Amino acid sequence: MRITIDGKRASMGISRTIDPNKWNQRKGRAIGNHKESAEINSHIDKLTYNVRKIHQELMDRNELVTSKKILNILNGKGEKARLLLDVFREHNQEADKLIGISMSKSTVKRYWTSYEHTKQFINEIYKEDDFPLQDINYDFIKKFEVFLKTVRNCNHNSTLKYINNFKKIIRLALTNEWMTRDPFYNYKVKFLEVKRDFLTEEKIDLLWEKELHFDRLKLVRDMFIFSCYTGLAYSDVEKLTKNDVSIGIDGSKWVCINRIKTNTKSSIPLLPIAAEIIERYAGHPSVKNTGKLIPVLSNQKSNLFLKEIAISCGINKILTTHLARHTFATTVTLTNGGSS
């Protein structure tokens, strides 16, 4: 028996046999009135009736209807409607296992933040603990967008990033046939262009030459400057080891790594200041004990201390570890002979 719904098939044997000469292939029925044929035809009629009954019951309950689901119910296995937060949580738990392998810690953290936002949205807007995947529609997405911008106070681009995380869960559900309709089909949005901030050469020099009185501030300042002169993200600097430094064909030192976020190979020449920072921390206990290239505090603490450093230097910008990458892409690259 084969069932086809929306072009997708599921089949099963009906546990009956008959002489091929007594079988009408075109009609799918046993030939003749003898007992064997009558029993098989009766069995086929009963199966057909049950399949149509299951199909109608699913339609009446407005549930997801697939050929596989009908066969499962027919065979007594059943299939509970999948819930959004259950699937979202399972996805994130699998993502946790991939940190440092194919996903960065920051990316997985964003998925968990998206999960928490979605959970709060369902609880406050729909007054439910979870939401059936097959009931998610365009209206659900638009309400979620408004919720993120108002209740969670997210800006436009941050809102779209969280919705994109949510969209991946929908894609997962569609692939597994837990949904039959894509609620994002008519959902069209566009990220707003953001002007990236950066430090000028004068501000970098000011940071580098500033006399800081606490080791924690010196450490964070040096890590920030190192990122300015290498263009590496915080997550990449954090995992750098001595093995990532090699001598290039030009005889100078290079940092060669696979970037965590993109999993692409990056080869970066070590400019004098970056090389000096590495030497400065060669004897640091953290470097000696772990083999890391330079000691790095947590991203949260680094950004917190960078604000303190900016104030002490009179820099009227919000310094973050990510701003260092933009500084490399503009100021440092151009200063050292790169093109814009």
Side-chain angles (χ1 to χ4, degrees):
M1 179 173 66
R2 175 184 294 160
I3 301 174
T4 304
I5 296 178
D6 293 332
K8 295 182 178 178
R9 298 174 176 176
S11 58
M12 59 171 273
I14 67 170
S15 303
R16 296 294 186 276
T17 60
I18 192 172
D19 186 331
N21 294 322
K22 297 179 181 179
W23 180 253
N24 187 320
Q25 182 68 30
R26 185 176 63 83
K27 293 183 178 181
R29 306 283 291 181
I31 301 169
N33 297 320
H34 47 82
K35 184 177 180 181
E36 181 185 28
S37 295
E39 193 278 330
I40 288 179
N41 288 337
S42 175
H43 184 60
I44 291 172
D45 290 340
K46 185 175 181 180
L47 286 173
T48 303
Y49 172 80
N50 287 337
V51 165
R52 288 175 176 167
K53 182 181 178 182
I54 292 168
H55 180 270
Q56 188 60 53
E57 288 174 350
L58 292 174
M59 294 288 288
D60 291 343
R61 294 198 300 268
N62 197 30
E63 289 189 20
L64 173 71
V65 181
T66 68
S67 52
K68 182 179 178 181
K69 183 172 186 177
I70 289 176
L71 285 189
N72 282 340
I73 295 174
L74 184 67
N75 290 316
K77 297 178 182 178
E79 185 177 333
K80 289 180 64 177
R82 296 301 299 264
L83 300 176
L84 171 59
L85 294 179
D86 281 346
V87 175
F88 211 146
R89 186 168 54 252
E90 289 170 9
H91 166 274
N92 290 1
Q93 289 169 347
E94 290 300 310
D96 281 337
K97 300 174 185 177
L98 298 174
I99 294 176
I101 300 174
S102 59
M103 299 186 75
S104 68
K105 187 175 181 179
S106 59
T107 297
V108 175
K109 182 180 179 182
R110 177 172 285 276
Y111 272 114
W112 278 113
T113 303
S114 299
Y115 168 84
E116 292 298 332
H117 289 342
T118 307
K119 182 178 180 181
Q120 182 184 355
F121 166 69
I122 292 171
N123 183 259
E124 294 188 12
I125 303 302
Y126 293 96
K127 311 302 180 185
E128 298 287 349
D129 294 328
D130 210 334
F131 202 87
L133 280 167
Q134 69 266 24
D135 291 344
I136 295 172
N137 54 20
Y138 177 88
D139 183 62
F140 182 99
I141 301 170
K142 291 300 294 183
K143 286 180 179 177
F144 189 33
E145 180 184 341
V146 173
F147 173 85
L148 290 170
K149 289 180 176 178
T150 55
V151 178
R152 296 304 313 178
N153 198 30
C154 299
N155 63 37
H156 179 76
N157 285 358
S158 291
T159 293
L160 297 192
K161 288 178 181 178
Y162 287 128
I163 289 179
N164 274 344
N165 290 147
F166 167 71
K167 186 176 182 179
K168 183 177 179 183
I169 306 305
I170 298 301
R171 289 278 178 260
L172 179 65
L174 289 167
T175 300
N176 284 283
E177 298 183 356
W178 299 328
M179 303 175 70
T180 55
R181 298 177 299 275
D182 184 359
F184 280 94
Y185 181 72
N186 289 315
Y187 183 77
K188 301 283 188 284
V189 291
K190 185 178 181 180
F191 283 93
L192 298 178
E193 186 175 351
V194 178
K195 185 177 180 181
R196 301 294 186 182
D197 210 351
F198 61 92
L199 294 184
T200 62
E201 188 177 0
E202 291 74 21
K203 296 297 184 183
I204 298 174
D205 291 341
L206 177 61
L207 269 177
W208 181 240
E209 296 167 4
K210 178 68 176 179
E211 183 65 33
L212 299 172
H213 301 291
F214 298 101
D215 288 340
R216 58 182 173 83
L217 297 184
K218 293 177 184 178
L219 182 60
V220 171
R221 184 269 312 276
D222 290 347
M223 181 273 293
F224 179 85
I225 295 291
F226 183 84
S227 290
C228 286
Y229 280 91
T230 59
L232 292 173
Y234 168 85
S235 58
D236 294 313
V237 174
E238 183 185 33
K239 76 181 186 80
L240 278 179
T241 68
K242 298 174 184 179
N243 294 330
D244 295 319
V245 178
S246 59
I247 304 298
I249 58 175
D250 59 354
S252 59
K253 290 184 178 180
W254 289 66
V255 171
C256 300
I257 63 166
N258 283 322
R259 291 206 56 218
I260 289 179
K261 185 173 183 179
T262 61
N263 196 31
T264 54
K265 185 80 171 179
S266 290
S267 297
I268 307 154
L270 268 181
L271 296 173
I273 289 182
E276 182 179 335
I277 291 172
I278 293 175
E279 288 299 320
R280 176 177 295 181
Y281 292 99
H284 192 281
S286 178
V287 172
K288 284 186 173 181
N289 295 333
T290 65
K292 294 292 182 70
L293 204 58
I294 61 174
V296 175
L297 300 183
S298 71
N299 196 29
Q300 184 178 13
K301 286 185 177 179
S302 296
N303 286 328
L304 179 65
F305 295 153
L306 280 170
K307 291 179 182 179
E308 188 176 340
I309 294 169
I311 293 172
S312 67
C313 292
I315 297 176
N316 296 318
K317 290 181 183 290
I318 299 176
L319 296 190
T320 64
T321 55
H322 200 62
L323 184 136
R325 275 180 52 74
H326 299 307
T327 299
F328 171 81
T330 52
T331 306
V332 174
T333 301
L334 294 178
T335 302
N336 287 276
S339 58
S340 60

PDB file of all heavy atoms in Angstrom, residues 109-134:
ATOM      1  N   LYS A 109      25.480  30.971  21.812  1.00  0.00           N
ATOM      2  CA  LYS A 109      24.871  31.810  22.851  1.00  0.00           C
ATOM      3  C   LYS A 109      23.707  32.603  22.271  1.00  0.00           C
ATOM      4  O   LYS A 109      22.669  32.779  22.919  1.00  0.00           O
ATOM      5  CB  LYS A 109      25.923  32.759  23.441  1.00  0.00           C
ATOM      6  CG  LYS A 109      25.386  33.637  24.562  1.00  0.00           C
ATOM      7  CD  LYS A 109      26.469  34.546  25.113  1.00  0.00           C
ATOM      8  CE  LYS A 109      25.916  35.441  26.218  1.00  0.00           C
ATOM      9  NZ  LYS A 109      26.953  36.368  26.749  1.00  0.00           N
ATOM     10  N   ARG A 110      23.870  33.083  21.035  1.00  0.00           N
ATOM     11  CA  ARG A 110      22.786  33.842  20.397  1.00  0.00           C
ATOM     12  C   ARG A 110      21.561  32.953  20.164  1.00  0.00           C
ATOM     13  O   ARG A 110      20.424  33.395  20.300  1.00  0.00           O
ATOM     14  CB  ARG A 110      23.260  34.470  19.088  1.00  0.00           C
ATOM     15  CG  ARG A 110      22.167  35.228  18.328  1.00  0.00           C
ATOM     16  CD  ARG A 110      22.719  35.984  17.146  1.00  0.00           C
ATOM     17  NE  ARG A 110      23.422  37.175  17.555  1.00  0.00           N
ATOM     18  CZ  ARG A 110      22.816  38.343  17.802  1.00  0.00           C
ATOM     19  NH1 ARG A 110      21.506  38.443  17.680  1.00  0.00           N
ATOM     20  NH2 ARG A 110      23.506  39.395  18.154  1.00  0.00           N
ATOM     21  N   TYR A 111      21.796  31.686  19.828  1.00  0.00           N
ATOM     22  CA  TYR A 111      20.669  30.763  19.645  1.00  0.00           C
ATOM     23  C   TYR A 111      19.900  30.582  20.959  1.00  0.00           C
ATOM     24  O   TYR A 111      18.669  30.536  20.970  1.00  0.00           O
ATOM     25  CB  TYR A 111      21.153  29.408  19.136  1.00  0.00           C
ATOM     26  CG  TYR A 111      21.242  29.328  17.631  1.00  0.00           C
ATOM     27  CD1 TYR A 111      22.467  29.179  16.988  1.00  0.00           C
ATOM     28  CD2 TYR A 111      20.097  29.411  16.848  1.00  0.00           C
ATOM     29  CE1 TYR A 111      22.557  29.115  15.603  1.00  0.00           C
ATOM     30  CE2 TYR A 111      20.168  29.346  15.470  1.00  0.00           C
ATOM     31  CZ  TYR A 111      21.398  29.195  14.849  1.00  0.00           C
ATOM     32  OH  TYR A 111      21.471  29.148  13.486  1.00  0.00           O
ATOM     33  N   TRP A 112      20.637  30.483  22.056  1.00  0.00           N
ATOM     34  CA  TRP A 112      19.965  30.336  23.352  1.00  0.00           C
ATOM     35  C   TRP A 112      19.215  31.611  23.723  1.00  0.00           C
ATOM     36  O   TRP A 112      18.131  31.555  24.322  1.00  0.00           O
ATOM     37  CB  TRP A 112      20.972  29.965  24.438  1.00  0.00           C
ATOM     38  CG  TRP A 112      21.293  28.506  24.470  1.00  0.00           C
ATOM     39  CD1 TRP A 112      22.483  27.909  24.164  1.00  0.00           C
ATOM     40  CD2 TRP A 112      20.400  27.430  24.817  1.00  0.00           C
ATOM     41  NE1 TRP A 112      22.395  26.534  24.285  1.00  0.00           N
ATOM     42  CE2 TRP A 112      21.133  26.214  24.687  1.00  0.00           C
ATOM     43  CE3 TRP A 112      19.068  27.376  25.199  1.00  0.00           C
ATOM     44  CZ2 TRP A 112      20.546  24.975  24.954  1.00  0.00           C
ATOM     45  CZ3 TRP A 112      18.490  26.133  25.459  1.00  0.00           C
ATOM     46  CH2 TRP A 112      19.226  24.957  25.340  1.00  0.00           C
ATOM     47  N   THR A 113      19.789  32.768  23.390  1.00  0.00           N
ATOM     48  CA  THR A 113      19.084  34.034  23.639  1.00  0.00           C
ATOM     49  C   THR A 113      17.813  34.096  22.798  1.00  0.00           C
ATOM     50  O   THR A 113      16.755  34.515  23.283  1.00  0.00           O
ATOM     51  CB  THR A 113      19.992  35.226  23.300  1.00  0.00           C
ATOM     52  OG1 THR A 113      21.198  35.152  24.071  1.00  0.00           O
ATOM     53  CG2 THR A 113      19.295  36.549  23.614  1.00  0.00           C
ATOM     54  N   SER A 114      17.895  33.659  21.544  1.00  0.00           N
ATOM     55  CA  SER A 114      16.720  33.619  20.664  1.00  0.00           C
ATOM     56  C   SER A 114      15.655  32.692  21.251  1.00  0.00           C
ATOM     57  O   SER A 114      14.452  32.988  21.204  1.00  0.00           O
ATOM     58  CB  SER A 114      17.114  33.133  19.266  1.00  0.00           C
ATOM     59  OG  SER A 114      18.056  33.998  18.676  1.00  0.00           O
ATOM     60  N   TYR A 115      16.106  31.565  21.794  1.00  0.00           N
ATOM     61  CA  TYR A 115      15.186  30.613  22.424  1.00  0.00           C
ATOM     62  C   TYR A 115      14.439  31.269  23.586  1.00  0.00           C
ATOM     63  O   TYR A 115      13.212  31.135  23.702  1.00  0.00           O
ATOM     64  CB  TYR A 115      15.958  29.393  22.914  1.00  0.00           C
ATOM     65  CG  TYR A 115      15.175  28.477  23.830  1.00  0.00           C
ATOM     66  CD1 TYR A 115      14.321  27.494  23.310  1.00  0.00           C
ATOM     67  CD2 TYR A 115      15.268  28.603  25.218  1.00  0.00           C
ATOM     68  CE1 TYR A 115      13.588  26.671  24.147  1.00  0.00           C
ATOM     69  CE2 TYR A 115      14.540  27.782  26.061  1.00  0.00           C
ATOM     70  CZ  TYR A 115      13.698  26.812  25.528  1.00  0.00           C
ATOM     71  OH  TYR A 115      12.976  26.009  26.364  1.00  0.00           O
ATOM     72  N   GLU A 116      15.179  31.990  24.443  1.00  0.00           N
ATOM     73  CA  GLU A 116      14.565  32.642  25.601  1.00  0.00           C
ATOM     74  C   GLU A 116      13.581  33.721  25.169  1.00  0.00           C
ATOM     75  O   GLU A 116      12.507  33.875  25.768  1.00  0.00           O
ATOM     76  CB  GLU A 116      15.640  33.245  26.507  1.00  0.00           C
ATOM     77  CG  GLU A 116      16.509  32.215  27.217  1.00  0.00           C
ATOM     78  CD  GLU A 116      15.714  31.314  28.149  1.00  0.00           C
ATOM     79  OE1 GLU A 116      14.662  31.767  28.665  1.00  0.00           O
ATOM     80  OE2 GLU A 116      16.137  30.175  28.388  1.00  0.00           O
ATOM     81  N   HIS A 117      13.929  34.483  24.117  1.00  0.00           N
ATOM     82  CA  HIS A 117      13.015  35.504  23.604  1.00  0.00           C
ATOM     83  C   HIS A 117      11.739  34.853  23.071  1.00  0.00           C
ATOM     84  O   HIS A 117      10.627  35.357  23.291  1.00  0.00           O
ATOM     85  CB  HIS A 117      13.676  36.304  22.482  1.00  0.00           C
ATOM     86  CG  HIS A 117      14.761  37.225  22.951  1.00  0.00           C
ATOM     87  ND1 HIS A 117      14.888  37.602  24.262  1.00  0.00           N
ATOM     88  CD2 HIS A 117      15.763  37.862  22.269  1.00  0.00           C
ATOM     89  CE1 HIS A 117      15.921  38.421  24.386  1.00  0.00           C
ATOM     90  NE2 HIS A 117      16.461  38.593  23.190  1.00  0.00           N
ATOM     91  N   THR A 118      11.890  33.734  22.349  1.00  0.00           N
ATOM     92  CA  THR A 118      10.740  33.030  21.782  1.00  0.00           C
ATOM     93  C   THR A 118       9.851  32.472  22.898  1.00  0.00           C
ATOM     94  O   THR A 118       8.613  32.550  22.824  1.00  0.00           O
ATOM     95  CB  THR A 118      11.206  31.872  20.877  1.00  0.00           C
ATOM     96  OG1 THR A 118      12.145  32.362  19.908  1.00  0.00           O
ATOM     97  CG2 THR A 118      10.026  31.242  20.153  1.00  0.00           C
ATOM     98  N   LYS A 119      10.473  31.935  23.914  1.00  0.00           N
ATOM     99  CA  LYS A 119       9.736  31.384  25.062  1.00  0.00           C
ATOM    100  C   LYS A 119       8.918  32.472  25.757  1.00  0.00           C
ATOM    101  O   LYS A 119       7.738  32.274  26.075  1.00  0.00           O
ATOM    102  CB  LYS A 119      10.731  30.753  26.040  1.00  0.00           C
ATOM    103  CG  LYS A 119      10.088  30.098  27.249  1.00  0.00           C
ATOM    104  CD  LYS A 119      11.171  29.469  28.135  1.00  0.00           C
ATOM    105  CE  LYS A 119      10.563  28.809  29.362  1.00  0.00           C
ATOM    106  NZ  LYS A 119      11.625  28.211  30.230  1.00  0.00           N
ATOM    107  N   GLN A 120       9.537  33.624  25.978  1.00  0.00           N
ATOM    108  CA  GLN A 120       8.839  34.736  26.621  1.00  0.00           C
ATOM    109  C   GLN A 120       7.684  35.231  25.743  1.00  0.00           C
ATOM    110  O   GLN A 120       6.591  35.533  26.238  1.00  0.00           O
ATOM    111  CB  GLN A 120       9.812  35.881  26.894  1.00  0.00           C
ATOM    112  CG  GLN A 120       9.156  37.054  27.622  1.00  0.00           C
ATOM    113  CD  GLN A 120      10.103  38.235  27.801  1.00  0.00           C
ATOM    114  OE1 GLN A 120      11.287  38.161  27.467  1.00  0.00           O
ATOM    115  NE2 GLN A 120       9.588  39.336  28.321  1.00  0.00           N
ATOM    116  N   PHE A 121       7.927  35.294  24.432  1.00  0.00           N
ATOM    117  CA  PHE A 121       6.905  35.737  23.480  1.00  0.00           C
ATOM    118  C   PHE A 121       5.677  34.831  23.534  1.00  0.00           C
ATOM    119  O   PHE A 121       4.541  35.303  23.634  1.00  0.00           O
ATOM    120  CB  PHE A 121       7.509  35.751  22.070  1.00  0.00           C
ATOM    121  CG  PHE A 121       6.502  35.855  20.960  1.00  0.00           C
ATOM    122  CD1 PHE A 121       5.780  37.027  20.765  1.00  0.00           C
ATOM    123  CD2 PHE A 121       6.278  34.783  20.102  1.00  0.00           C
ATOM    124  CE1 PHE A 121       4.848  37.124  19.741  1.00  0.00           C
ATOM    125  CE2 PHE A 121       5.357  34.870  19.078  1.00  0.00           C
ATOM    126  CZ  PHE A 121       4.638  36.043  18.892  1.00  0.00           C
ATOM    127  N   ILE A 122       5.880  33.527  23.485  1.00  0.00           N
ATOM    128  CA  ILE A 122       4.770  32.572  23.509  1.00  0.00           C
ATOM    129  C   ILE A 122       3.996  32.678  24.828  1.00  0.00           C
ATOM    130  O   ILE A 122       2.767  32.641  24.852  1.00  0.00           O
ATOM    131  CB  ILE A 122       5.284  31.136  23.297  1.00  0.00           C
ATOM    132  CG1 ILE A 122       5.808  30.971  21.864  1.00  0.00           C
ATOM    133  CG2 ILE A 122       4.196  30.105  23.587  1.00  0.00           C
ATOM    134  CD1 ILE A 122       6.532  29.658  21.619  1.00  0.00           C
ATOM    135  N   ASN A 123       4.738  32.834  25.911  1.00  0.00           N
ATOM    136  CA  ASN A 123       4.119  32.913  27.240  1.00  0.00           C
ATOM    137  C   ASN A 123       3.287  34.186  27.407  1.00  0.00           C
ATOM    138  O   ASN A 123       2.168  34.147  27.928  1.00  0.00           O
ATOM    139  CB  ASN A 123       5.202  32.838  28.311  1.00  0.00           C
ATOM    140  CG  ASN A 123       4.620  32.844  29.716  1.00  0.00           C
ATOM    141  OD1 ASN A 123       4.612  33.863  30.391  1.00  0.00           O
ATOM    142  ND2 ASN A 123       4.128  31.698  30.150  1.00  0.00           N
ATOM    143  N   GLU A 124       3.823  35.321  26.939  1.00  0.00           N
ATOM    144  CA  GLU A 124       3.148  36.598  27.159  1.00  0.00           C
ATOM    145  C   GLU A 124       2.066  36.894  26.122  1.00  0.00           C
ATOM    146  O   GLU A 124       1.026  37.465  26.457  1.00  0.00           O
ATOM    147  CB  GLU A 124       4.175  37.739  27.175  1.00  0.00           C
ATOM    148  CG  GLU A 124       5.125  37.671  28.359  1.00  0.00           C
ATOM    149  CD  GLU A 124       6.018  38.893  28.477  1.00  0.00           C
ATOM    150  OE1 GLU A 124       5.748  39.897  27.776  1.00  0.00           O
ATOM    151  OE2 GLU A 124       6.986  38.845  29.260  1.00  0.00           O
ATOM    152  N   ILE A 125       2.288  36.508  24.878  1.00  0.00           N
ATOM    153  CA  ILE A 125       1.327  36.840  23.823  1.00  0.00           C
ATOM    154  C   ILE A 125       0.249  35.765  23.680  1.00  0.00           C
ATOM    155  O   ILE A 125      -0.930  36.067  23.505  1.00  0.00           O
ATOM    156  CB  ILE A 125       2.046  37.040  22.473  1.00  0.00           C
ATOM    157  CG1 ILE A 125       3.115  38.135  22.595  1.00  0.00           C
ATOM    158  CG2 ILE A 125       1.036  37.393  21.381  1.00  0.00           C
ATOM    159  CD1 ILE A 125       2.595  39.485  23.052  1.00  0.00           C
ATOM    160  N   TYR A 126       0.641  34.495  23.772  1.00  0.00           N
ATOM    161  CA  TYR A 126      -0.319  33.406  23.583  1.00  0.00           C
ATOM    162  C   TYR A 126      -0.726  32.719  24.887  1.00  0.00           C
ATOM    163  O   TYR A 126      -1.577  31.824  24.871  1.00  0.00           O
ATOM    164  CB  TYR A 126       0.259  32.375  22.611  1.00  0.00           C
ATOM    165  CG  TYR A 126       0.405  32.917  21.205  1.00  0.00           C
ATOM    166  CD1 TYR A 126       1.625  33.432  20.769  1.00  0.00           C
ATOM    167  CD2 TYR A 126      -0.668  32.924  20.322  1.00  0.00           C
ATOM    168  CE1 TYR A 126       1.767  33.939  19.479  1.00  0.00           C
ATOM    169  CE2 TYR A 126      -0.540  33.425  19.039  1.00  0.00           C
ATOM    170  CZ  TYR A 126       0.683  33.942  18.622  1.00  0.00           C
ATOM    171  OH  TYR A 126       0.816  34.450  17.344  1.00  0.00           O
ATOM    172  N   LYS A 127      -0.098  33.120  25.994  1.00  0.00           N
ATOM    173  CA  LYS A 127      -0.411  32.556  27.311  1.00  0.00           C
ATOM    174  C   LYS A 127      -0.252  31.035  27.337  1.00  0.00           C
ATOM    175  O   LYS A 127      -1.017  30.310  27.968  1.00  0.00           O
ATOM    176  CB  LYS A 127      -1.843  32.922  27.741  1.00  0.00           C
ATOM    177  CG  LYS A 127      -2.205  34.385  27.609  1.00  0.00           C
ATOM    178  CD  LYS A 127      -1.278  35.281  28.423  1.00  0.00           C
ATOM    179  CE  LYS A 127      -1.654  36.744  28.266  1.00  0.00           C
ATOM    180  NZ  LYS A 127      -0.684  37.644  28.946  1.00  0.00           N
ATOM    181  N   GLU A 128       0.765  30.532  26.626  1.00  0.00           N
ATOM    182  CA  GLU A 128       1.030  29.099  26.548  1.00  0.00           C
ATOM    183  C   GLU A 128       2.486  28.817  26.931  1.00  0.00           C
ATOM    184  O   GLU A 128       3.334  29.704  26.881  1.00  0.00           O
ATOM    185  CB  GLU A 128       0.766  28.569  25.135  1.00  0.00           C
ATOM    186  CG  GLU A 128      -0.669  28.721  24.660  1.00  0.00           C
ATOM    187  CD  GLU A 128      -1.624  27.753  25.328  1.00  0.00           C
ATOM    188  OE1 GLU A 128      -1.150  26.830  26.003  1.00  0.00           O
ATOM    189  OE2 GLU A 128      -2.857  27.922  25.165  1.00  0.00           O
ATOM    190  N   ASP A 129       2.757  27.556  27.310  1.00  0.00           N
ATOM    191  CA  ASP A 129       4.129  27.156  27.632  1.00  0.00           C
ATOM    192  C   ASP A 129       4.914  26.758  26.392  1.00  0.00           C
ATOM    193  O   ASP A 129       6.144  26.736  26.406  1.00  0.00           O
ATOM    194  CB  ASP A 129       4.123  25.987  28.629  1.00  0.00           C
ATOM    195  CG  ASP A 129       3.554  26.390  29.987  1.00  0.00           C
ATOM    196  OD1 ASP A 129       3.728  27.555  30.370  1.00  0.00           O
ATOM    197  OD2 ASP A 129       2.934  25.537  30.640  1.00  0.00           O
ATOM    198  N   ASP A 130       4.197  26.417  25.321  1.00  0.00           N
ATOM    199  CA  ASP A 130       4.841  26.044  24.058  1.00  0.00           C
ATOM    200  C   ASP A 130       3.834  26.272  22.939  1.00  0.00           C
ATOM    201  O   ASP A 130       2.674  26.641  23.192  1.00  0.00           O
ATOM    202  CB  ASP A 130       5.324  24.594  24.089  1.00  0.00           C
ATOM    203  CG  ASP A 130       6.561  24.378  23.211  1.00  0.00           C
ATOM    204  OD1 ASP A 130       6.737  25.143  22.245  1.00  0.00           O
ATOM    205  OD2 ASP A 130       7.339  23.450  23.489  1.00  0.00           O
ATOM    206  N   PHE A 131       4.266  26.035  21.689  1.00  0.00           N
ATOM    207  CA  PHE A 131       3.394  26.339  20.552  1.00  0.00           C
ATOM    208  C   PHE A 131       3.579  25.282  19.470  1.00  0.00           C
ATOM    209  O   PHE A 131       4.713  24.967  19.099  1.00  0.00           O
ATOM    210  CB  PHE A 131       3.745  27.722  19.997  1.00  0.00           C
ATOM    211  CG  PHE A 131       2.649  28.374  19.207  1.00  0.00           C
ATOM    212  CD1 PHE A 131       1.678  29.132  19.839  1.00  0.00           C
ATOM    213  CD2 PHE A 131       2.581  28.212  17.827  1.00  0.00           C
ATOM    214  CE1 PHE A 131       0.659  29.734  19.112  1.00  0.00           C
ATOM    215  CE2 PHE A 131       1.576  28.807  17.097  1.00  0.00           C
ATOM    216  CZ  PHE A 131       0.601  29.574  17.740  1.00  0.00           C
ATOM    217  N   PRO A 132       2.478  24.715  18.930  1.00  0.00           N
ATOM    218  CA  PRO A 132       2.599  23.692  17.884  1.00  0.00           C
ATOM    219  C   PRO A 132       3.258  24.254  16.627  1.00  0.00           C
ATOM    220  O   PRO A 132       2.873  25.334  16.152  1.00  0.00           O
ATOM    221  CB  PRO A 132       1.144  23.282  17.610  1.00  0.00           C
ATOM    222  CG  PRO A 132       0.385  23.701  18.831  1.00  0.00           C
ATOM    223  CD  PRO A 132       1.068  24.929  19.326  1.00  0.00           C
ATOM    224  N   LEU A 133       4.194  23.528  16.095  1.00  0.00           N
ATOM    225  CA  LEU A 133       4.890  23.997  14.898  1.00  0.00           C
ATOM    226  C   LEU A 133       3.935  24.234  13.733  1.00  0.00           C
ATOM    227  O   LEU A 133       4.071  25.214  13.000  1.00  0.00           O
ATOM    228  CB  LEU A 133       5.965  22.976  14.489  1.00  0.00           C
ATOM    229  CG  LEU A 133       7.275  23.028  15.268  1.00  0.00           C
ATOM    230  CD1 LEU A 133       8.110  21.784  14.988  1.00  0.00           C
ATOM    231  CD2 LEU A 133       8.069  24.280  14.912  1.00  0.00           C
ATOM    232  N   GLN A 134       2.965  23.306  13.552  1.00  0.00           N
ATOM    233  CA  GLN A 134       2.092  23.433  12.391  1.00  0.00           C
ATOM    234  C   GLN A 134       1.151  24.634  12.475  1.00  0.00           C
ATOM    235  O   GLN A 134       0.524  25.008  11.482  1.00  0.00           O
ATOM    236  CB  GLN A 134       1.276  22.151  12.162  1.00  0.00           C
ATOM    237  CG  GLN A 134       0.213  21.879  13.210  1.00  0.00           C
ATOM    238  CD  GLN A 134       0.733  20.978  14.305  1.00  0.00           C
ATOM    239  OE1 GLN A 134       1.936  20.910  14.545  1.00  0.00           O
ATOM    240  NE2 GLN A 134      -0.167  20.276  14.976  1.00  0.00           N
TER     241      GLN A 134
END
